[in-house]
Amino acid sequence: VQLQASGGGLVQAGGSLRLSCAASGTTFSIYYMAWYRQAPGKQRELVASITGDGDTDYAGSMKGRFIISRENAKNTVYLQMNSLKPGDTAVYYCNIGGDGGSGDYYPFDYWGQGTLVTVSS
């Protein structure tokens, strides 16, 4: 499985970015997909996940600002990020996974190279 993330960059606070992640080497549509992020000096954290059918879940601080979506025909998952804050600065990674039970996302050990998002104040 290969995951190729893109779309990061430098944006001012309050701005928007759209990240993309193209997957290959697997039957994309049957798996959950997710975005994680890792800020300098911090642990990697789950941002949002989406089932193969399009059901979504978000970490609390991202609700209402970020939107995860997918196009199964293109083997691609997206993360639309709005109202960006300096605290959103991080490397964003896409991940493929499954149902961890009780509605939790379970990450498989496949990660893209990450794309850097920098939000200036």
Side-chain angles (χ1 to χ4, degrees):
V1 177
Q2 292 187 329
L3 302 170
Q4 182 73 34
S6 61
L10 174 64
V11 63
Q12 288 189 330
S16 298
L17 278 177
R18 189 194 196 204
L19 307 183
S20 300
C21 175
S24 61
T26 186
T27 307
F28 179 79
S29 62
I30 69 173
Y31 292 107
Y32 288 45
M33 296 294 297
W35 286 95
Y36 283 74
R37 69 184 185 184
Q38 187 167 19
K42 295 187 177 181
Q43 288 189 331
R44 192 171 296 186
E45 63 173 344
L46 178 63
V47 173
S49 63
I50 185 168
T51 69
D53 293 331
D55 293 329
T56 59
D57 194 21
Y58 299 89
S61 63
M62 270 64 85
K63 285 182 181 177
R65 297 192 299 124
F66 292 6
I67 301 171
I68 188 171
S69 61
R70 65 192 294 164
E71 282 190 77
N72 288 339
K74 294 184 177 180
N75 285 8
T76 301
V77 62
Y78 304 98
L79 185 69
Q80 176 68 42
M81 304 186 294
N82 302 316
S83 302
L84 283 162
K85 306 173 183 179
D88 295 317
T89 295
V91 177
Y92 284 72
Y93 299 90
C94 59
N95 177 261
I96 188 168
D99 182 0
S102 301
D104 292 336
Y105 178 79
Y106 180 83
F108 298 162
D109 197 20
Y110 296 105
W111 299 91
Q113 84 288 0
T115 185
L116 176 63
V117 172
T118 304
V119 184
S120 64
S121 58

